[in-house]
Amino acid sequence: MSAKILLVEDEEKLARFVELELGYEGYEVSKAFDGVTGGEMAASGGYDLILLDVMLPGRSGVEVLRRVRKVSSVPVIMLTARDAVTDKVSGLDLGADDYVTKPFAIEELLARIRAALRKARTQDTRCGETLTARGVSLDARGRFVAVNGAPVELTKREFDLLHYLLKNKGIVVTREALLENVWGYDFDGGTNAVDVYIRFLRGKIDETFGIKLIRTVRGVGYAIDDA
Ligand code: CA
């Protein structure tokens, strides 16, 4: 199956050239010429990789990346202007997988794409593993939770919250970190939301099954313990 690539690039000539070359390599390419459209397409999912220009009209590539990372771990390669060190650093900080400096040789871009897709495939197999603690198991890809084999129905938010706590098993996670990673940067409902959803989770898991899964760390946050 050919990989689907989203190309967000406002220089239309360059975009067409890259599209053509990727097409020769057997990739399926969709294009967006501005950050707003690109961001929406990226967030809707269904792509195996995103090529993201940094300097875009509407919304910068860095801003698009920030939004994409809230909902997806799809590999992203940033296309940056020569010597734009800040772009590279903020891109990588925000979770870009790689960057290519313009002007680039198409062979270099193709090599980076192959490497990023390969890396994503290896990680996929790892993410496919089930996370467990105290009889609770969470299958991230199937979005399925069970306690001692009995399925538990969770809302999307409850699932994401439990997923984040399980991924950080053995670590105390602050309310702020939970808000940022589960709710997103632009949520302004306050850290109370975290406590409310922890209560929901405890109702459905701890209380229903009589286990102690989520530990409160007063004044700090919550933890799921390792043992
Ligand atoms: Ca540009």
Side-chain angles (χ1 to χ4, degrees), residues 8 32-42 56-60 64 67:
V8 190
F33 301 118
D34 66 85
V36 177
T37 316
E40 279 166 10
M41 288 169 77
L56 287 168
R59 187 172 286 155
S60 80
V64 172
R67 286 162 186 254

Side-chain angles (χ1 to χ4, degrees), residues 9-11 53 55-56 102:
E9 168 61 74
D10 60 313
E11 288 162 60
D53 184 27
M55 298 284 281
L56 287 168
K102 291 191 208 175

